[in-house]
Amino acid sequence: MSEANRFGSGPVQSAGSWHKYFFTGAVVLLCLWVLVPIYLLLVNTFSSPEAVASYPKKAFPVVDTESLKFFMNYAGVGQALWNSIKVATVTMILSISAGAPAGYALSRFDFRGKDTFRVLVLMTRAFPLPLLALPLAVMYIRVGLDDSVLGLAFVHTTLALPFAVLITYSLFSGIPIELEEAAWTLGCNRFQAFMKVIFPLVLPGIAASAIFAFVISWNEVFAAAVLTIENRTLPAFLLQGLSDSPLHLKFAGGAVLVLPALLFIFMVRKYLFSMWGIANR
Amino acid sequence: MAEIKIKQVAKQYGNTHALHSIDMTVADEEFLVLLGASGCGKTTLLRIVAGLETATTGEVWIGDKRVDQLAPKDRGIAMVFQNYAVFPHLTVFENIAFGLRMSKVDQAEIDRRVEKTATLMHIEGLLKRYSGQLSGGQRQRVAVARALATEPEVLLMDEPLSNLDALLRMEMRAELKSVLAESKTTTIYVTHDQVEAMSMADRIAIMNGGKIVQASSAVEVYRNPAAHFVASFIGNPPMNFLSAENAGDGWWNVNGVKIKGPNSSSKTLKFAIRPEDIVVHGPSGNGSAANDDSLSAGVRILEPLGSHLLASCKVDDQLFRIVLDSDAKVSPGDTLQWSPQPDRVRWFDPESELAIN
């Protein structure tokens, strides 16, 4: 604000300060857009069931974990949570073991159709999931993959894979090829050079990319709802089970879904920025 | 310790010829510098010897072994890179020990050799540090120590000093020279810096357009450039060139003055002389030492460089540089009377651009 005051006098600067106000306003608006729902979610999650339904609200309610406890003991929640973790873990493993080699190849080798491939990787995200989910469900029933952890993990892997490829591509590209070449001249073959020099350097980034894949699977609801019946993941279970539940349970369920995802994304934000080409800060 | 033989090595990228059939032998324990402007193919040639790039045709031999089909690790080489390539996740000690660990040397021997090369490169106090905690000069020392620790038969260096600042470069240059002379390793060293090349090399191979134009000692490439390119590349400032017309019987007409030259049937040649190999008789009009055989040069720009005064002149409408004594009384617009030191004049064929003896 002091900046705005200092430069805010005179007709020339007024356009600049308008720009500044507009920019600040937009930032505040966007932050509120994200933070207000999270705030309401948290407040209502940690309120007693009576307080959730009452009006007006207190800004900082008395902490009451009653709804959370009730929600966690709700029949099927534990199983759904466990299913979510299983599917997300398999998704994470599959997308990194396929995505990291692809990212390495993109950054280190010149091959025909490289640029096309990069675009195609992103294009897979252009198909709406509902379009794919129904034919997939039919196919899964035929091959017996329906209602299974592995089957759902396959679908989630297709969703997470483009990100895994692009994040690891930018990771590998950030490591000078000379480091590998130096290892080759010092007695390594290609694989040894990768394991001894490149892998230790990209490990934190790979972990971040894996967590991102985990979160994509964790948050995904549509395919999970279509492809599973008995072995529902948490989002699919909540979609089905909570629509008729009381308000305070909906809030508790929402919090259990949102908080881990938020936490994980916050942990790996540096690598997501680098994927989108924003400098690390 | 081995001889390197490069036989008809050529490299093509699509339709561009990066290297045209290079033939070269580097003697055992020799320090050869590949010198040339960027894009002349010198780094490509080095990388082909290292095995980081494959030649389109030709053979590379190290010692008695043909290596051009072998992986870099099987060639008995070590390489120092322009950007150092010190492994950031390993300590200086582990960096230097890296090659030794790969060849399964036992721990006592590793300790001994790391200690020895680190002392040689004056980095024995930094062994526990990581690359991020080192200055550019220290990283360069680590990179050289890492290469020397494996006691390679052949050491390849790709512009190792070009990322250092000028003062440090001069210091490292002298130090590297003594270290390498002691290690007796056959070395190929790539640089675009002619001072670096001349001060370090046993032999300089000057490259241009994917060919080796001349490979000789520093004094030889300076005194007797084999081609117009070498004459205009080596030396700061480079050689002066004037066109000469055949006046018969080995006499050549250079800007109206007859100078004794080679017997040749061609109509014109290029007369070449280094700026410091010129005898100046004084500004015209003084009449002191000027004689009939002297040429005249109109002074345009004067650059006092401390050790000498560099005069950029016009002779026959061509740029002509003369090195004068720092105390010389000259000002722009003067006309200098000069003549070449006869034994330093060189002649080039304007067609083939090669030297004529």
Side-chain angles (χ1 to χ4, degrees):
Chain A
M1 284 314 282
S2 64
E3 291 252 311
N5 287 338
R6 227 183 308 143
F7 299 109
S9 56
V12 181
Q13 278 89 0
S14 68
S17 77
W18 262 111
H19 179 82
K20 189 161 261 163
Y21 286 131
F22 180 78
F23 180 75
T24 315
V27 168
V28 168
L29 208 67
L30 280 174
C31 287
L32 289 179
W33 175 270
V34 175
L35 291 177
V36 166
I38 293 175
Y39 167 75
L40 290 177
L41 184 71
L42 285 181
V43 164
N44 287 311
T45 303
F46 290 107
S47 300
S48 59
E50 298 75 41
V52 170
S54 70
Y55 190 85
K57 308 262 183 221
K58 293 176 191 154
F60 297 99
V62 188
V63 174
D64 181 308
T65 53
E66 199 52 46
S67 343
L68 262 184
K69 275 186 197 149
F70 185 82
F71 170 77
M72 293 308 283
N73 293 325
Y74 191 77
V77 165
Q79 185 58 42
L81 192 64
W82 178 231
N83 279 338
S84 263
I85 291 172
K86 278 195 287 191
V87 172
T89 307
V90 176
T91 301
M92 182 171 91
I93 292 167
L94 285 178
S95 49
I96 289 306
S97 47
Y104 183 80
L106 272 178
S107 90
R108 285 293 189 257
F109 300 108
D110 273 320
F111 50 88
R112 209 207 286 241
K114 182 169 159 174
D115 293 330
T116 320
F117 178 74
R118 278 182 61 188
V119 175
L120 282 179
V121 163
L122 267 185
M123 283 292 289
T124 58
R125 298 288 329 208
F127 293 102
L129 193 57
L131 205 72
L132 298 173
L134 293 174
L136 260 180
V138 174
M139 200 185 86
Y140 271 21
I141 291 168
R142 282 196 195 134
V143 296
L145 266 176
D146 60 305
D147 205 11
S148 70
V149 166
L150 192 63
L152 188 55
F154 278 147
V155 177
H156 287 178
T157 302
T158 37
L159 296 178
L161 200 53
F163 295 105
V165 172
L166 293 181
I167 295 176
T168 53
Y169 164 70
S170 77
L171 285 174
F172 289 125
S173 301
I175 291 174
I177 181 96
E178 283 87 352
L179 287 182
E180 254 175 296
E181 291 178 340
W184 298 342
T185 62
L186 289 167
C188 291
N189 60 31
R190 257 205 128 100
F191 181 72
Q192 286 170 320
F194 181 86
M195 291 313 289
K196 282 181 184 295
V197 176
I198 305 303
F199 188 66
L201 293 174
V202 294
L203 192 58
I206 296 273
S209 164
I211 287 174
F212 190 61
F214 188 95
V215 171
I216 286 178
S217 165
W218 177 271
N219 284 341
E220 201 285 324
V221 63
F222 190 88
V226 172
L227 294 175
T228 60
I229 298 157
E230 296 292 322
N231 295 316
R232 300 229 123 163
T233 58
L234 198 55
F237 177 81
L238 292 181
L239 187 72
Q240 174 196 31
L242 285 186
S243 51
D244 305 325
S245 308
L247 198 56
H248 62 275
L249 277 188
K250 287 183 183 167
F251 278 118
V256 169
L257 261 184
V258 167
L259 288 184
L262 266 182
L263 197 72
F264 284 150
I265 293 293
F266 192 72
M267 277 161 56
V268 302
R269 65 195 184 285
K270 186 174 127 194
Y271 295 95
L272 299 180
F273 286 158
S274 85
M275 175 178 69
W276 303 123
I278 306 168
N280 290 346
R281 262 171 242 176
Chain B
M1 322 311 99
E3 186 185 62
I4 306 167
K5 274 187 288 229
I6 295 165
K7 295 180 182 172
Q8 291 168 352
V9 164
K11 176 76 182 175
Q12 249 177 291
Y13 297 102
N15 287 326
T16 10
H17 289 264
L19 293 175
H20 297 269
S21 190
I22 303 269
D23 276 295
M24 189 173 67
T25 304
V26 187
D28 190 16
E29 296 186 19
E30 187 177 4
F31 191 129
L32 179 99
V33 171
L34 291 177
L35 175 65
S38 57
C40 71
K42 57 192 192 299
T43 296
T44 308
L45 183 59
L46 187 82
R47 289 171 61 86
I48 286 172
V49 176
L52 299 174
E53 221 143 315
T54 332
T56 313
T57 55
E59 299 174 10
V60 179
W61 292 70
I62 294 177
D64 306 324
K65 203 166 53 167
R66 185 175 167 185
V67 298
D68 49 88
Q69 302 297 326
L70 299 179
K73 69 185 180 71
D74 300 320
R75 296 191 177 198
I77 55 143
M79 185 154 168
V80 178
F81 293 82
Q82 181 175 3
N83 63 1
Y84 322 134
V86 174
F87 303 134
H89 61 299
L90 299 177
T91 60
V92 169
F93 183 98
E94 284 304 323
N95 262 284
I96 301 175
F98 191 91
L100 302 172
R101 290 211 193 285
M102 287 313 297
S103 45
K104 306 257 188 296
V105 177
D106 65 71
Q107 186 63 44
E109 177 68 8
I110 289 179
D111 289 343
R112 196 187 65 76
R113 281 218 239 163
V114 170
E115 187 71 25
K116 189 182 128 197
T117 43
T119 312
L120 191 68
M121 295 308 298
H122 305 297
I123 46 172
E124 64 271 30
L126 307 173
L127 290 176
K128 290 203 179 71
R129 298 224 195 146
Y130 287 90
S131 158
Q133 301 162 304
L134 302 176
S135 68
Q138 290 169 331
R139 269 179 232 176
Q140 190 54 65
R141 285 165 192 273
V142 175
V144 175
R146 184 177 65 185
L148 289 177
T150 58
E151 297 181 0
E153 293 184 312
V154 167
L155 183 61
L156 306 170
M157 306 179 102
D158 185 8
E159 309 221 14
L161 302 184
S162 62
N163 283 5
L164 302 179
D165 62 63
L167 219 87
L168 197 57
R169 202 182 308 168
M170 208 156 97
E171 195 185 304
M172 280 296 285
R173 198 164 76 200
E175 207 177 308
L176 262 185
K177 186 174 181 174
S178 76
V179 165
L180 294 175
E182 203 173 313
S183 76
K184 298 196 192 315
T185 312
T186 312
T187 305
I188 302 183
Y189 184 108
V190 162
T191 183
H192 63 266
D193 181 342
Q194 52 167 302
V195 181
E196 213 169 285
M198 297 182 83
S199 65
M200 297 177 84
D202 292 331
R203 196 153 59 105
I204 303 176
I206 295 159
M207 292 187 68
N208 182 35
K211 286 179 189 146
I212 292 179
V213 188
Q214 185 175 12
S216 308
S217 71
V219 176
E220 182 68 12
V221 293
Y222 189 77
R223 285 274 169 79
N224 295 316
H228 187 284
F229 173 79
V230 178
S232 61
F233 186 74
I234 295 285
N236 185 21
M239 265 189 159
N240 292 307
F241 299 96
L242 295 173
S243 49
E245 274 144 40
N246 200 337
D249 287 338
W251 288 86
W252 297 84
N253 189 346
V254 179
N255 194 25
V257 176
K258 275 190 182 165
I259 293 176
K260 182 76 182 142
N263 285 309
S264 165
S265 57
S266 53
K267 270 193 171 162
T268 57
L269 287 183
K270 285 272 182 202
F271 159 92
I273 184 80
R274 292 223 169 260
E276 62 270 31
D277 294 335
I278 287 168
V279 184
V280 174
H281 307 297
S284 63
N286 289 7
S288 56
N291 56 35
D292 296 343
D293 294 339
S294 61
L295 292 96
S296 58
V299 178
R300 293 297 168 92
I301 301 162
L302 290 167
E303 296 169 62
L305 298 175
S307 61
H308 60 267
L309 177 67
L310 179 63
S312 297
C313 313
K314 278 270 161 90
V315 174
D316 195 13
D317 248 2
Q318 295 163 75
L319 175 65
F320 194 89
R321 294 192 186 88
I322 302 177
V323 167
L324 298 168
D325 192 89
S326 284
D327 300 326
K329 299 261 181 299
V330 192
S331 43
D334 288 356
T335 303
L336 296 173
Q337 296 300 319
W338 62 274
S339 45
Q341 286 187 34
D343 58 328
R344 292 292 165 81
V345 175
R346 297 293 174 266
W347 302 87
F348 295 94
D349 184 322
E351 294 285 311
S352 67
E353 304 217 316
L354 295 179
I356 295 167
N357 297 313

